[in-house]
Amino acid sequence: MDLANLSAHELADQLKSGKVSSVEATSACLQRLEKTAGLGAYLHVDANGAKKQAAEADARRAKKQSAGPLDGVPIALKDIFLTEGLPTTCASRILEGFVAPYDGTAVRKLKEAGTVLLGKLNMDEFAMGSSNEHSGYLPAKNPWDATRVPGGSSGGSAVAVAAGSCFATLGTDTGGSIRQPAALTGIVGLKPTYGRVSRYGVIAFASSLDQVGPMTKDVTDCANMLQAIAGHDPRDSTSSTEKVPSYTETLEKGVQGLKVGVPKEYFIDGMDPEVRASVDAALESYKKLGATLVDVSLPHTDYGIAVYYLVATAEASSNLARFDGVRYGKRVDPGKGLLDMYLETRGKGFGPEVKRRIMLGTYALSAGYYDAYYVKAQKVRTLVAQDFKEAFAKCDVIVTPTTPTPAFKLGENTGDPIKMYLADVFTVAVNLAGLPGLSLPCGFSKSGLPIGMQVLGRPFDEATILRTARAFEREHDFSARRAIS
Ligand code: GLN
C-alpha cells in the first residue's frame, strides 16, 4: 500500500516500529502532491523545509526522544494560519508576498508535537465561501470527482487530506468551513467549542464565530490533533481556561446508554434522498450499538443563515479594515494621495465575494440600520443558542446531516450567492451557539460521492462527540476508503 494512504496514527505506528521513516513519509506526500497537483490543494509547498524537519524527527526517534503520536507526521496548514518564514496569503491577492513574522499558537503547538510542515493550503479568500471557488489564486477540486467542488472555505485542507498529500491538517470554521468540506470529501473535521483552541495568529474573519480545528482521515487522528492544540492561551483572551481532558482515553468507550438527539428541523422535505438515507441508516446503527434516539426540536433553525450572514459580515467588515496597503502585503499606489492608495489597494486586492461581505457588513452596522439588522440578529442568535440548551437537557449528542447535498459541480452556485450560502444551512447554528460539532463520513452516493453526518455536543464536551463518532466509524469502512489509490 502507498504510504500516502495511511492514516496519521497508522503512520505513527510504523514510525514507532521503525518500518518507515518520517523522511519516507514526507516523500510519499510530496509524490502524491505531484500526482494530484491538478486538484489545487496547495498554495505554497516547502519541500526542502519539510525534508529537513523530517530528518530531525527521524534523528529524535533514533535517540529515543520522540515527542508523541504526531512526531514525524507530515501535515499542511490552511493559508489563514500565520507561519513564521512562510507565505501567508489567506488566498487573497491583497496579502500576496506577505510572510508572517511569527507562528500562531496552534501552529507552534503542532511544531512542538514534532509534525513536519509541508506547506500552505488553498481556501476561499479570507475564509468566505463554501466551495473554494472564491480563492484569489485557483479553485480546488474534489478528489472523488474533479468536476465537483471540495467545499469551503477549508477546501484545500480537505483536498490535501482526502487525496493523501498530507496526513492531517487544521482548518478554521466560522459557519461550517471545517465540517462542510470534510463532508464533501469524505474525511473527519471537528469544529471545537468556541474558545477551546487559541485563535492567536489566525487571520480573523468573524471573531465571535471563528474557531480552529482538525481535519483528518479518521476519528482517532482527529482526537490526537485536538489533544495537541487545545487549551488556554494567554495571547487569546477568548480562549477558555476549562481543563483539557484526555480525548484518547474515552475514544473507544462506545455509545451504550447514550442519548442521541434527532432534531426534526434538520430532516426536511426536499433534502437529497441519498443524504437522508445515509443519515437515517447511521441513526439505526446507533440504536443497534445501544444508544437511544430522542426527538428534539431546534425551532429557530430557519433563521440560522440570515443571522449568520449578518453577524459574520458585520464582524468581517471591521476585521478586514486593517488591510489597507499600509501594514501588510500588497500596495497599489497611483501617486494621488493616501485616499486613492487605500481605494486602489482594496479595490484591486480584494475579490468580489470579500467586497460583497464588506459592503453587507458595513450596511448592517451603519447608523439607522444597526438596530434593525445587527442588534436583531444578535437577539435571534441568543434564541438559537437557547434552542440547543433545551435540546441538550434531553440528550447527550445531536446527530444531523452535515450538508443538504453531496458535492456540487464547479460553477454550479457561483452565479447565485444565496444558493451558495444555503450550503451552510446545517452548520451555521453551531457557530452561532459556540458549540462543538464534528463531521464524519457516513456513506457514499450511487455516483461515488462521500456523504457526511454531523455529531454535535454540549460546550467543551468534544470527548463525547469523538467517542460517538468513533463508535460509528468502528462498524463501517467509510473513513477507510481512499479517493486516490
Ligand atoms: N461558508 C460560510 C461562509 O461563506 C462559512 C465560512 C467559514 O466557516 N469560514 O461564510
Side-chain angles (χ1 to χ4, degrees):
M1 185 188 185
D2 188 335
L3 267 187
N5 282 338
L6 297 179
S7 69
H9 65 93
E10 286 166 346
L11 171 65
D13 287 345
Q14 300 217 2
L15 289 170
K16 202 168 164 190
S17 67
K19 259 201 209 132
V20 299
S21 66
S22 175
V23 169
E24 286 166 333
T26 303
S27 338
C29 286
L30 291 168
Q31 270 167 26
R32 183 58 69 85
L33 206 166
E34 217 167 280
K35 180 169 161 186
T36 57
L39 298 176
Y42 280 75
L43 291 178
H44 179 78
V45 183
D46 182 24
N48 289 336
K51 285 179 195 157
K52 190 167 156 273
Q53 293 158 37
E56 286 164 7
D58 288 334
R60 275 195 297 277
R61 201 168 294 274
K63 284 193 271 174
K64 307 222 172 325
Q65 289 168 352
S66 208
L70 296 175
D71 202 350
V73 173
I75 62 156
L77 293 165
K78 185 177 185 179
D79 207 22
I80 198 167
F81 290 94
L82 301 195
T83 42
E84 190 181 341
L86 290 185
T88 299
T89 66
C90 232
S92 181
R93 292 285 172 185
I94 209 165
L95 281 174
E96 209 166 351
F98 176 70
V99 175
Y102 62 91
D103 284 328
T105 298
V107 176
R108 177 177 54 76
K109 287 187 168 187
L110 285 178
K111 285 188 178 173
E112 285 166 5
T115 59
V116 170
L117 181 56
L118 288 157
K120 304 297 288 290
L121 298 167
N122 203 355
M123 55 183 284
D124 284 298
E125 185 178 1
F126 286 106
M128 297 174 185
S130 311
S131 70
N132 213 118
E133 290 165 295
H134 296 316
S135 167
Y137 296 91
L138 76 170
K141 297 176 183 166
N142 196 311
W144 295 94
D145 173 355
T147 66
R148 293 179 185 269
V149 304
S153 65
S154 314
S157 301
V159 175
V161 172
S165 57
C166 72
F167 284 91
T169 178
L170 296 183
T172 57
D173 191 313
T174 305
S177 280
I178 288 175
R179 290 159 289 152
Q180 186 254 14
L184 301 193
T185 57
I187 64 166
V188 174
L190 169 66
K191 177 208 115 54
T193 311
Y194 184 77
R196 180 69 300 178
V197 179
S198 169
R199 294 181 295 114
Y200 179 71
V202 183
I203 296 173
F205 165 8
S207 307
S208 77
L209 300 162
D210 295 345
Q211 182 57 193
V212 171
M215 297 172 77
T216 56
K217 293 182 183 177
D218 64 21
V219 179
T220 305
D221 286 355
C222 189
N224 286 332
M225 287 285 278
L226 181 63
Q227 202 79 61
I229 60 171
H232 178 64
D233 177 10
R235 291 193 163 106
D236 173 4
S237 62
T238 65
S239 76
S240 170
T241 52
E242 180 87 20
K243 193 171 161 281
V244 180
S246 164
Y247 298 112
T248 40
E249 222 167 71
T250 49
L251 198 57
E252 305 292 342
K253 259 181 70 186
V255 291
Q256 182 74 42
L258 216 67
K259 288 196 191 117
V260 175
V262 185
K264 58 173 183 287
E265 293 82 0
Y266 282 65
F267 294 82
I268 43 181
D269 284 345
M271 70 188 275
D272 184 280
E274 289 185 296
V275 172
R276 168 103 211 207
S278 293
V279 180
D280 281 347
L283 290 170
E284 277 310 305
S285 236
Y286 278 126
K287 258 207 285 198
K288 281 204 202 93
L289 293 169
T292 320
L293 303 188
V294 193
D295 287 329
V296 294
S297 174
L298 300 165
H300 295 91
T301 298
D302 272 358
Y303 303 105
I305 290 279
V307 171
Y308 169 78
Y309 277 94
L310 279 164
V311 174
T313 56
E315 293 184 20
S317 73
S318 159
N319 272 328
L320 269 55
R322 76 193 71 188
F323 302 105
D324 56 5
V326 176
R327 283 167 291 184
Y328 316 94
K330 191 192 190 89
R331 172 181 300 180
V332 186
D333 189 356
K336 289 189 282 175
L338 188 61
L339 183 62
D340 278 302
M341 190 281 283
Y342 288 151
L343 293 175
E344 282 295 309
T345 298
R346 287 169 68 84
K348 298 240 158 52
F350 289 136
E353 182 61 25
V354 174
K355 287 181 189 160
R356 179 179 298 123
R357 307 269 181 125
I358 293 173
M359 285 189 277
L360 283 169
T362 305
Y363 184 82
L365 289 177
S366 56
Y369 296 106
Y370 183 82
D371 288 324
Y373 292 113
Y374 185 71
V375 172
K376 186 153 237 171
Q378 290 293 18
K379 288 182 180 161
V380 182
R381 180 178 185 175
T382 305
L383 296 175
V384 171
Q386 194 60 36
D387 281 357
F388 279 106
K389 219 172 168 180
E390 281 163 26
F392 278 120
K394 296 192 201 118
C395 60
D396 303 299
V397 291
I398 290 177
V399 170
T400 79
T402 310
T403 57
T405 64
F408 46 91
K409 291 261 186 199
L410 284 151
E412 192 177 324
N413 289 347
T414 36
D416 184 350
I418 304 276
K419 225 174 130 208
M420 186 76 92
Y421 297 170
L422 286 172
D424 308 322
V425 274
F426 297 149
T427 51
V428 291
V430 165
N431 300 75
L432 293 170
L435 298 173
L438 172 147
S439 178
L440 83 155
C442 70
F444 280 81
S445 73
K446 279 192 210 79
S447 55
L449 297 172
I451 294 170
M453 72 169 160
Q454 233 186 162
V455 184
L456 315 179
R458 298 192 180 105
F460 299 102
D461 199 9
E462 285 82 3
T464 305
I465 293 181
L466 287 162
R467 117 167 120 98
T468 306
R470 177 66 191 138
F472 178 83
E473 184 185 73
R474 235 173 9 205
E475 302 292 314
H476 302 86
D477 77 335
F478 302 124
S479 329
R481 297 192 201 174
R482 298 287 178 254
I484 312 284
S485 50

